[in-house]
Amino acid sequence: MSTTADKVWAVGRPTIGTAVTLAGRLKVYGKERVPMTGGLVIACNHFHWVDPPALGAACPRTIYYMAKVEAHRVPGLGALIRAFGTFPVRRGESDRDAVRTMRGIVRDGYALGLFAEGTRQTSGVPGDLQPGAAMVALQEHVPVIPVAIHGTQTWKPGNFHPISLAWGEPVRFEGLPRGGKGYKEASTVLQTKILGLFDFLVEMHALGRPEAVPPA
């Protein structure tokens, strides 16, 4: 991948990242669990447009995000997200170019960021996962790190509602078949872990967000 994205992230963290951290009073649990080298899939739940910058601020690595092609067509926004290494996907259809890009990112030793439900959830809780994260992990033999975000359901610019994020332990799916059955089984495991992390965050918010280590 381009080193340009690393340079943009180096500028974005102390600017956009700091702004999101302050505006959302961002608290991060388990950041030390993120492997600093090697191909990796990051699978996170999704509620709000602030989730990508919040996850980016909470991650010590450059994240190569996937975003719907419509976002890339928005004047200004498209150029900005592409500068951070974000690549497009055509939702609702088979997009082989996006799949090749996803696999290439982790194969080359970088971190791929996926909001694994495929779209923002309006129910206030994580939804069902799409098979993309599991597919890339199984095809390229790389770990997936499950992540949960909580608080962005009610966050708006200026209301300073707290946002929290929890990193799980990296998961490998050795032994599962590379096909629909394996993707489904791996996605079920990931969904269970994301829900567990989300429940942990709900509890931490109820307790006033004390220091703690997130569950496995």
Side-chain angles (χ1 to χ4, degrees), residues 95-110:
D95 189 338
R96 294 183 178 180
D97 288 338
V99 171
R100 281 194 289 268
T101 300
M102 286 192 290
R103 294 183 62 179
I105 287 168
V106 300
R107 188 185 307 128
D108 291 341
Y110 296 96

Side-chain angles (χ1 to χ4, degrees), residues 7 14 16 18 75 77 84 120 139 179:
K7 294 177 181 178
I16 297 174
T18 298
L77 175 63
F84 278 89
R120 286 182 283 181
Q139 290 288 344

Side-chain angles (χ1 to χ4, degrees), residues 123-149:
S123 63
V125 295
D128 292 334
L129 267 59
Q130 298 298 311
M135 180 273 293
V136 174
L138 281 167
Q139 290 288 344
E140 298 299 330
H141 305 287
V142 298
V144 183
I145 186 164
V147 187
I149 192 165

Side-chain angles (χ1 to χ4, degrees), residues 7 14 32 34 45 57 65-66 68 88 93 100 119-120 125 132 136 143 145 176 202 208:
K7 294 177 181 178
E32 69 281 355
V34 181
N45 65 297
Y65 285 122
M66 180 172 70
K68 60 185 180 181
E93 59 182 287
R100 281 194 289 268
T119 189
R120 286 182 283 181
V125 295
V136 174
I145 186 164
L176 290 183
V202 170

Side-chain angles (χ1 to χ4, degrees), residues 22-212:
L22 294 174
R25 294 187 285 156
L26 181 64
K27 189 173 184 66
V28 182
Y29 295 93
K31 186 176 182 177
E32 69 281 355
R33 293 175 166 180
V34 181
M36 293 304 296
T37 59
L40 174 72
V41 180
I42 298 169
C44 187
N45 65 297
H46 191 20
F47 296 125
H48 194 283
W49 61 259
V50 79
D51 294 341
L55 177 58
C59 184
R61 293 181 62 172
T62 294
I63 303 175
Y64 290 86
Y65 285 122
M66 180 172 70
K68 60 185 180 181
V69 69
E70 290 83 359
H72 286 262
R73 294 171 179 161
V74 176
L77 175 63
L80 177 65
I81 62 177
R82 285 191 295 276
F84 278 89
T86 302
F87 61 96
V89 61
R90 297 188 302 274
R91 294 197 308 185
E93 59 182 287
S94 176
D95 189 338
R96 294 183 178 180
D97 288 338
V99 171
R100 281 194 289 268
T101 300
M102 286 192 290
R103 294 183 62 179
I105 287 168
V106 300
R107 188 185 307 128
D108 291 341
Y110 296 96
L112 169 68
L114 297 177
F115 290 99
E117 299 130 323
T119 189
R120 286 182 283 181
Q121 303 299 298
T122 59
S123 63
V125 295
D128 292 334
L129 267 59
Q130 298 298 311
M135 180 273 293
V136 174
L138 281 167
Q139 290 288 344
E140 298 299 330
H141 305 287
V142 298
V144 183
I145 186 164
V147 187
I149 192 165
H150 174 52
T152 58
Q153 306 97 309
T154 57
W155 185 90
K156 292 180 181 179
N159 71 6
F160 295 99
H161 283 192
I163 299 171
S164 297
L165 187 143
W167 295 92
E169 295 284 2
V171 183
R172 287 188 175 272
F173 297 109
E174 304 294 346
L176 290 183
R178 290 186 292 174
K181 182 179 179 181
Y183 304 157
K184 183 177 181 179
E185 185 173 341
S187 295
T188 298
V189 171
L190 282 176
Q191 184 166 329
T192 299
K193 290 186 176 294
I194 291 173
L195 285 171
L197 292 165
F198 181 80
D199 289 343
F200 162 81
L201 290 177
V202 170
E203 181 181 2
M204 291 300 101
H205 274 230
L207 295 173
R209 301 201 298 171
E211 296 296 332

